[in-house]
Amino acid sequence: MTQHVPQVTDASPAPERRPIRQLLAASVGNAVEWYDWYAYTFLATYIAGQIFPKGSGNSLVPLLSTFAVFAVGFFMRPVGGLLMGAVADRRGRRAALTVTILLMGGSSLLVALTPTYAAAGVLAPVVLVVARLLQGLSVGGEFAASTTFLVESAGPGRRGLFSSFQYVSTTVGQLTASGVAALLVATLSEGQMDGWGWRLPFLVGALLSLVGFWIRQGARETHIAPAARGERPGLFDALRHHPRQSLLICGITAGGTLAYYTWTSYLPTYAELNTGIGKSGALLAGTLSLAFFALLQPVGGLLSDRVGRRPLLLFFGVGFAVLSVPLLKALTGSFVSLLLVQCAGMVLLTGFTSISAAVNAEVFPARVRAAGIGFPYSLTVALFGGTAPYVGTLFKEIGSPGLFPGYVAVLCLVSSAVYTRLPETAHRELAR
């Protein structure tokens, strides 16, 4: 059944006439947020040995524990999406963006200062869990606020292009985290990385958060919040009044988030576990493919403004449903095979990532747009994206690594079924 997309007019201001300033304010802060978030993923193997005790001679136990904490952080993202989304709808987008980046800076500092298991015992993983919970709260709120901010800043016929900068900046943050990790691995000894080297990227992230906070102070608000308390949307208004739209976002996101976190975050570790490629080669391949991915995003956004959102989503969904298994099976222990597999996946993935912000924003009216996007999107990411590294590593642990590629393919097929019924919103006016 085709979903109805509401057309509601509110008191939001007209789009910013100086779009570069708006893009910079959203993108720089978003890049810093995601740098902090992804640094954990790229350094997971080092964190595992320092924060968690080794279990019965099985080297995968600390790594599984580290990825479990990664997943726990994801389950705070729906809370962040709901709470910070409500702040964005009730107080304005810029207020929410300010809170999220300060929260991320503090939590990144906490990760850097987490004691080792040898020094503090069980307190070490407890501190790490608290830090990841705070990061999850921040990232969930960041997506809700920055998505609405970017799309509302776009001029006519440019929402797809502006939307693409959500993942351009996300990828820049991830690319920076990957590059810093690769540089440290290449320059420091294994003992230095295990001892203190893995902490450096988190200290840098805490400092960069202050830079992002400063830049965002110059952003122009895109949503005038209701002045009267009684006119402000309630915390659950989006879910209560737009349940179908909330479910639609879950269906749109499920396959995309699993493919995204598999290809951009987990694939280097997957290759290490299943092909024996070295850490340095895996991180370098990830860094190069991320640079390629960032360049693709504006192309996908511009294309969607011309041909629509649905063709790109189907390109992604059907492509991954058909090619996930052969691509992951094509991995060998060579650097070239990993780089080619990652880049091939990045091309397909662009059909989802370049326009997901626009698609989500076009589903909800402005009054509840941030909270309406934030909760269902972040919940779906937590269920399928945040668990991807854990599920993949668990399949390896039980001796069935071949099940993971099939898992990715099936979920992308499910999302493809949703895309076939998705109303085309590219050329409709965004509610203001």
Side-chain angles (χ1 to χ4, degrees), residues 88-356:
D89 290 332
R90 294 165 65 91
R91 302 289 184 181
R93 316 309 189 202
R94 194 173 66 175
L97 290 172
T98 297
V99 173
T100 57
I101 199 164
L102 290 178
L103 190 59
M104 179 58 81
S107 55
S108 183
L109 181 61
L110 189 58
V111 173
L113 300 178
T114 299
T116 64
Y117 187 85
V122 72
L123 180 63
V126 168
V127 172
L128 186 64
V129 167
V130 170
R132 288 300 290 181
L133 289 175
L134 293 175
Q135 285 189 327
L137 187 69
S138 173
V139 167
E142 172 69 20
F143 185 88
S146 64
T147 292
T148 53
F149 180 83
L150 274 172
V151 177
E152 289 170 355
S153 295
R158 286 292 180 265
R159 293 199 301 267
L161 175 61
F162 271 57
S163 168
S164 71
F165 280 87
Q166 176 73 33
Y167 276 92
V168 169
S169 56
T170 296
T171 305
V172 167
Q174 188 174 0
L175 182 61
T176 304
S178 175
V180 169
L183 179 63
L184 289 173
V185 169
T187 57
L188 298 180
S189 68
E190 193 75 10
Q192 289 173 322
M193 280 299 301
D194 286 334
W196 51 268
W198 65 268
R199 299 179 185 273
L200 293 179
F202 298 103
L203 290 172
V204 171
L207 294 175
L208 289 177
S209 294
L210 296 178
V211 177
F213 168 77
W214 174 72
I215 291 175
R216 283 185 167 176
Q217 298 310 295
R220 177 181 178 273
E221 182 58 69
T222 63
H223 174 69
I224 299 175
R229 181 181 299 273
E231 296 177 359
R232 294 172 185 168
L235 190 61
F236 298 100
D237 272 11
L239 290 173
R240 185 181 301 115
H241 300 300
H242 306 281
R244 289 186 176 183
Q245 284 73 23
S246 298
L247 289 174
L248 183 61
I249 284 186
C250 293
I252 291 169
T253 305
T257 188
L258 176 59
Y260 175 76
Y261 280 99
T262 297
W263 246 257
T264 65
S265 300
Y266 178 57
L267 202 57
T269 301
Y270 179 87
E272 285 181 47
L273 294 175
N274 293 282
T275 70
I277 189 172
K279 291 176 183 175
S280 180
L283 285 170
L284 179 59
T287 301
L288 293 175
S289 63
L290 281 171
F292 175 64
F293 182 61
L295 294 175
L296 290 175
Q297 300 312 295
V299 177
L302 281 169
L303 184 61
S304 79
D305 284 330
R306 283 183 169 269
V307 305
R309 319 295 188 215
R310 187 163 52 190
L312 269 72
L313 290 173
L314 286 171
F315 168 76
F316 152 73
V318 175
F320 260 102
V322 173
L323 296 175
S324 290
V325 173
L327 281 175
L328 290 178
K329 284 188 175 181
L331 286 172
T332 67
S334 75
F335 166 80
V336 173
S337 76
L338 177 56
L339 180 61
L340 291 177
V341 167
Q342 281 204 275
C343 287
M346 298 304 192
V347 173
L348 295 173
L349 192 56
T350 297
F352 170 79
T353 54
S354 65
I355 59 172
S356 64

Side-chain angles (χ1 to χ4, degrees), residues 41-53:
T41 306
F42 291 119
L43 297 164
T45 53
Y46 297 101
I47 296 172
Q50 297 299 309
I51 307 301
F52 296 96

